[in-house]
Amino acid sequence: MQQAPRIAPSILAADFAKLGEEVRAVTEAGADYIHIDIMDGHFVPNLTIGPAVVAALRPHSPLTFDVHLMIAPADLYIPAFVKAGADIVTVHPESGPHLHRSLQLIKSLGKKAGVALNPATPLDVLDHVWDDIDLVTIMSVNPGFGGQSFIAGALSKIAAARKRIDAGGRTIDLEVDGGVNNENAAEIIAAGADVLVAGSATFSGGPEAYAQNIRTLRGPAAHTGGS
Ligand code: DX5
Ligand code: ZN
């Protein structure tokens, strides 16, 4: 029986002039993770924040900090993000020559290791690292910007990842990132996602709307105890 999905607001869609307040607001509104998008203007065509900002946000929420690294190289900066307060560190396979080494580095620092797959990156890049990961992020947009449209082809990839995770028997979060909204959340959950990243859909309407936005994304399963 599928559990109610966890919701990970991407703070990329928050008001950057008051990030601490925004993180507190979504925490109080019932978010499960705080999704933090790190971009370097090189691996992706956008720039966001570094470890100093993550460290500044850490006191504002006890929730899992789900740090999505869209930077290359990643390994060089992983210790700094862990020190800043990351609980999950997710890398893209294309961001360095040695995915296994990056995952071992994250785990050696005592944190959960994730891999994010771009829309054109096949699932089989994970064939030999399934035992080394705690989270897979299926990107349903090309990384770099919030507010893009969900790429429908991601649904079959989510379903395939679900199958592979269930067959493997280890606990691995299946996260979906990009263009998640009230209209498509149900089919993404039905395809097998257990964590929905949602930037625009969470942060629309201002802080008074966050709790309802999160409830709507979770869907009816959340109200019936996860059936
Ligand atoms: C895209 C980021 C996403 C993005 C999601 O590169 O990884 O986390 O912020 O934003 P929405 O939910 O607005 O598509
Ligand atoms: Zn992200």
Side-chain angles (χ1 to χ4, degrees), residues 165-191:
I165 290 169
D166 290 347
R170 280 185 63 243
T171 302
I172 298 174
D173 281 354
L174 178 52
E175 179 174 84
V176 177
D177 186 3
V180 175
N181 59 36
N182 298 344
E183 279 72 52
N184 58 25
E187 57 183 343
I188 296 167
I189 295 161

Side-chain angles (χ1 to χ4, degrees), residues 21-99:
E21 276 170 58
E22 292 278 69
V23 164
R24 284 207 303 280
V26 288
T27 300
E28 282 159 22
D32 297 286
Y33 295 173
I34 302 295
H35 185 86
I36 305 178
D37 289 307
I38 311 295
M39 305 184 184
D40 67 353
H42 159 74
F43 183 69
V44 291
N46 196 5
L47 282 162
T48 57
I49 59 171
V53 177
V54 177
L57 292 175
R58 189 63 278 188
H60 291 271
S61 176
L63 296 181
T64 293
F65 271 17
D66 172 25
V67 175
H68 177 191
L69 297 182
M70 289 161 274
I71 62 175
D75 290 13
L76 195 57
Y77 299 98
I78 287 170
F81 282 104
V82 166
K83 194 163 176 239
D87 299 293
I88 304 170
V89 179
T90 298
V91 295
H92 283 252
E94 298 85 357
S95 70
H98 306 292
L99 177 60

